Amino acid sequence: MGQDGYSTPDIAAHVAMDELTAKLIAQLSSGGDARTSLDPISGLNKYFSAPYPRKTMAYASSTANDLSPDAFEHLRGVLAGGLPDYAAHLESLRARIKSAYQIGDDVEIVFAPSGTDLEYVALAAVLGKASGGIHNILLGADEVGSGCIHSAHAKFFADETALGIATEKGALIEGFGEVSLADVPVRCPEGVSRCSETVTEAIGHEITLALQAGQHALVHVVHGSKTGLILPELAEIDALKARYGDRFDFVVDACQARITNSALHEYLARGAMVFLTGSKFMGGAPFNGWALVPKTMVEQAARLPAGLSKVFRRAEFPQGWTGRDALENSENPGLALRYDGAIFELERFQQLPAPRVAALLDIFEAAMESELAEPLGIQLVRPFTPGHEGELAEHPIEMRTLETLDVSSLAITPTFDEAQAVHRKLALSGVRLGQPVKCVRRGGKWGGTLRIGLSMPQVVALCAIPEEEAETALRSDMREIAQALCNVVHPTQSGQQNAAC
């Protein structure tokens, strides 16, 4: 039992169980909303992950991570050395992010407690651009995050913020004025992903409606949804800009952080804001995120809405954003540590040679096909529209680190709800996968899915060993996942695949 009243039953054996470890775990699970809180018995958050290395096998970077051993040791060192002043710490982290992504001083960084909170940053950046308010055009609500529907509407999405202030979920945040919301589906009712041209046509329709109503349109681009979709493509974005000019702004939801430097720079060059989180592919502890915002947009932004004083601290916004000084000048050391651990992983990953990563992902995909998908007779949900297979070649290499399994053909996971139950049982039995997502239709209902995703620290670790060893490890893990799926309901005695599959 830790000194803060929770247990850590499956913490990795090599972790030093001392006062510093207990203090670090307490810090990493503080300074957020209820999603960072740990259960006193299991030592896990609501996503069955924890801010420390665990014995559990995990391919759950599409949902939430456990910390890697190296990141945990790095943060032990940071904490042991004495945490710097919060504002100074965030400034140093800004510099490290810019260095890792090779970003210049023409981009500012806003920190947020989670990817969901980042939506407020985008709304604040375009506030006051039209007398009729903001028309927020969200893409695929089911493919981003459940809380985003609230935050994209300038509403509180939880009962408490990272400042520890009680709020009412669904209540409007003071100062944003009129914000209407349109959700443009990225999948048709049958679950098949829409092509970029179709999505762009729907976006254009919403922009036109906004202009007719005297509103300013904020268009979302999804770069790496829960199933790896990228919509719309750059060519369509350029077409929208040519048609509507500066009468709309766009923000890129790359919260999965499955994005290359070149893609990131393509968006920034077009004047976009970009959302990133350190708690998905990046491998950091949940929850933490930041927005890359063009400096010109920060300089031209209206005064921050008064209601954001319940969400953000002063140091989290860059100097120069009007109204920043009205935010609480306090510290959130737990959040700063979560950023630090994620950026540590980002820096290591960025040093990897691209050909080595590509070779590893070939091995990952082959292992999953031969040891998991084929033996169980399940299909993969591909991140492109049928007939547009060429789009896969245009995806950034990091998108190949995430695969969605259509497990609706298995007897134990025919529906989305049953897949959720199996996901929970797997997580509590030592196999963590990404949460199910609604993208497969079976008999008029949402079918069962599960996701398998590598994280940056996993890629770093696998690239550090010979390819043969990496292949052996991945094949072994995929077989273990297949067996766990077969045994989750009716454990077998012989190790043979169960009839439940």
Side-chain angles (χ1 to χ4, degrees), residues 135-177:
H135 186 51
N136 202 357
I137 304 170
L138 194 65
L139 265 64
D142 280 344
E143 293 264 334
V144 283
S146 58
C148 287
I149 289 292
H150 289 299
S151 60
H153 218 150
K155 297 178 179 179
F156 292 109
F157 61 87
D159 297 326
E160 184 181 25
T161 71
L163 281 163
I165 297 175
T167 55
E168 181 183 350
K169 184 176 180 179
L172 289 169
I173 298 177
E174 180 186 356
F176 275 110

Side-chain angles (χ1 to χ4, degrees), residues 410-495:
L410 302 184
I412 56 172
T413 50
T415 68
F416 176 80
D417 290 342
E418 285 165 310
Q420 283 188 310
V422 167
H423 174 267
R424 175 185 175 85
K425 290 178 181 178
L426 287 172
L428 295 177
S429 65
V431 177
R432 285 190 58 241
L433 304 179
Q435 289 178 316
V437 62
K438 295 177 179 177
C439 59
V440 172
R441 295 292 279 186
R442 289 288 182 269
K445 297 181 179 180
W446 287 113
T449 60
L450 291 168
R451 290 176 292 161
I452 294 183
L454 291 169
S455 64
M456 285 187 182
Q458 285 175 309
V459 174
V460 168
L462 288 166
C463 283
I465 59 178
E467 285 189 9
E468 298 78 9
E469 292 182 25
E471 180 176 8
T472 298
L474 285 168
R475 287 184 177 276
S476 175
D477 284 353
M478 295 305 112
R479 285 195 296 272
E480 186 173 339
I481 292 170
Q483 192 60 59
L485 273 169
C486 292
N487 293 347
V488 68
V489 177
H490 302 296
T492 63
Q493 301 298 318
S494 62

Side-chain angles (χ1 to χ4, degrees), residues 107-419:
V107 175
E108 299 282 11
I109 298 175
V110 182
F111 287 108
S114 73
T116 313
D117 296 278
L118 287 174
E119 193 63 43
Y120 304 136
V121 178
L123 291 173
V126 301
L127 184 64
K129 286 196 171 187
S131 59
I134 301 169
H135 186 51
N136 202 357
I137 304 170
L138 194 65
L139 265 64
D142 280 344
E143 293 264 334
V144 283
S146 58
C148 287
I149 289 292
H150 289 299
S151 60
H153 218 150
K155 297 178 179 179
F156 292 109
F157 61 87
D159 297 326
E160 184 181 25
T161 71
L163 281 163
I165 297 175
T167 55
E168 181 183 350
K169 184 176 180 179
L172 289 169
I173 298 177
E174 180 186 356
F176 275 110
E178 293 295 324
V179 178
S180 59
L181 181 65
D183 177 23
V184 174
V186 295
R187 294 185 180 276
C188 67
E190 293 74 33
V192 177
S193 62
R194 293 183 166 187
C195 66
S196 183
E197 294 87 347
T198 300
V199 169
T200 304
E201 183 179 352
I203 291 172
H205 176 69
E206 290 295 338
I207 295 176
T208 299
L209 290 177
L211 294 176
Q212 292 172 348
Q215 298 173 300
H216 187 80
L218 176 63
V219 175
H220 284 65
V221 173
V222 176
H223 191 101
S225 69
K226 289 182 178 182
T227 58
L229 296 175
I230 298 178
L231 291 167
E233 297 177 3
L234 284 173
E236 274 73 48
I237 292 172
D238 289 341
L240 288 171
K241 288 179 67 66
R243 180 179 177 185
Y244 295 103
D246 61 359
R247 292 178 292 174
F248 81 100
D249 285 289
F250 70 102
V251 56
V252 179
D253 183 343
C255 283
Q256 285 277 333
R258 289 177 162 88
I259 186 169
T260 58
N261 276 21
S262 59
L264 186 64
H265 283 255
E266 289 275 19
Y267 290 126
L268 292 173
R270 288 165 169 78
M273 294 173 275
V274 181
F275 292 168
L276 295 160
T277 68
S279 54
K280 306 290 188 183
F281 177 54
M282 213 169 287
F287 282 82
N288 65 91
W290 53 86
L292 306 180
V293 185
K295 189 169 185 176
T296 54
M297 187 173 283
V298 172
E299 293 170 342
Q300 296 168 8
R303 186 176 185 83
L304 287 173
L308 290 188
S309 63
K310 295 182 178 181
V311 182
F312 294 95
R313 292 172 168 82
R314 184 180 304 173
E316 291 154 9
F317 272 79
Q319 296 185 21
W321 197 308
T322 305
R324 171 185 182 270
D325 290 345
L327 300 177
E328 183 177 301
N329 189 21
S330 58
E331 301 198 345
N332 190 342
L335 183 56
L337 284 167
R338 293 197 290 278
Y339 295 139
D340 204 320
I343 296 165
F344 168 82
E345 301 290 16
L346 172 64
E347 291 167 331
R348 294 199 302 165
F349 178 81
Q350 295 288 68
Q351 295 173 12
L352 295 176
R356 180 71 181 92
V357 176
L360 175 70
L361 296 182
D362 287 341
I363 295 170
F364 171 62
E365 291 168 347
M368 185 162 40
E369 286 276 7
S370 63
E371 308 297 336
L372 177 57
E374 291 176 5
L376 296 185
I378 58 179
Q379 302 295 316
L380 301 179
V381 179
R382 308 308 301 183
F384 51 78
T385 306
H388 292 70
E389 285 77 8
E391 292 179 7
L392 191 60
E394 300 172 7
H395 276 38
I397 192 171
E398 287 92 333
M399 210 62 67
R400 295 174 57 200
T401 61
L402 175 63
E403 296 284 1
T404 302
L405 307 177
D406 175 359
V407 293
S408 62
S409 61
L410 302 184
I412 56 172
T413 50
T415 68
F416 176 80
D417 290 342
E418 285 165 310

